[in-house]
Amino acid sequence: MQRGHCLCGSVQYQFDETQVGMALHCHCKDCQRVTGSGKATVIMFPQDAVMIEGDYKTFASRGFDGSHVNRGFCPICGSQMFTFVDELPGQMFIKAGGMEDTSWLLVDTTCWTSTARDWLPPDSNTATFDATPGNKSPPNSATVSSPYSVGGHWQHSVGEHWQQAVFG
């Protein structure tokens, strides 16, 4: 089990790192706005693999791609920690910056390269996507070698579910 927390420590969480669904750098405009930076690095987990202690609040909005997004943050220090997407029931994203130890983490995907800032270009060592992984457009990188790929081609059932739920 790994741990993480907000800046003030009022909200803490534990998670089973062996349950990672995907790990990615997201350059969408929404992630840029909520982080105050050029991207968010987020890791998807099944919600039942994460235990949260302390009260957090959520802010609901329409995602850059049209999805229904609920961002979890500490009501005291304002740290952004969690993201829940209605179209992905039972799944959640944790922002990597709040994790105590990330030595186990392998980020192999970069999405929303179409809105990446010039001063923070997409990671060319990952599979890259113009928009959301699983969207109707294929990845910019034809092949990738990672624990989340099959036969060198990016595949993930969650991405396929995302495409179906968000984009019909």
Side-chain angles (χ1 to χ4, degrees):
M1 293 292 274
Q2 297 288 332
R3 298 179 166 275
H5 56 85
C6 65
L7 184 61
C8 72
S10 296
V11 180
Q12 300 190 18
Y13 53 91
Q14 294 183 52
F15 57 92
D16 180 354
E17 73 276 13
T18 66
Q19 299 297 310
V20 169
M22 67 169 46
L24 56 91
H25 300 302
C26 182
H27 289 267
C28 80
K29 294 289 186 178
D30 291 341
C31 283
Q32 291 176 27
R33 286 185 182 99
V34 300
T35 63
S37 185
K39 69 175 182 190
T41 300
V42 295
I43 300 89
M44 179 187 276
F45 291 95
Q47 280 182 270
D48 61 6
V50 181
M51 296 183 316
I52 301 171
E53 299 174 21
D55 294 327
Y56 65 92
K57 292 190 175 198
T58 59
F59 177 77
S61 65
R62 219 31 201 229
F64 196 67
D65 64 0
S67 58
H68 300 86
V69 179
N70 300 284
R71 291 176 170 69
F73 62 95
C74 174
I76 297 170
C77 66
S79 295
Q80 288 268 336
M81 294 172 287
F82 315 117
T83 303
F84 305 90
V85 180
D86 291 353
E87 290 80 6
L88 295 172
Q91 303 292 319
M92 68 182 291
F93 293 91
I94 300 177
K95 288 186 177 54
M99 296 177 178
E100 291 178 6
D101 174 22
T102 56
S103 62
W104 56 272
L105 182 60
L106 172 65
V107 178
D108 71 338
T109 304
T110 300
C111 64
W112 286 99
T113 60
S114 60
T115 55
R117 302 291 182 162
D118 291 340
W119 44 267
L120 187 61
D123 184 347
S124 61
N125 294 316
T126 66
T128 58
F129 295 80
D130 287 337
T132 301
N135 195 343
K136 294 174 181 162
S137 62
N140 296 337
S141 301
T143 61
V144 61
S145 176
S146 82
Y148 312 120
S149 64
V150 177
H153 296 279
W154 190 90
Q155 276 189 2
H156 199 279
S157 61
V158 173
E160 292 164 9
H161 174 74
W162 190 318
Q163 174 186 357
Q164 203 170 33
V166 178
F167 303 103

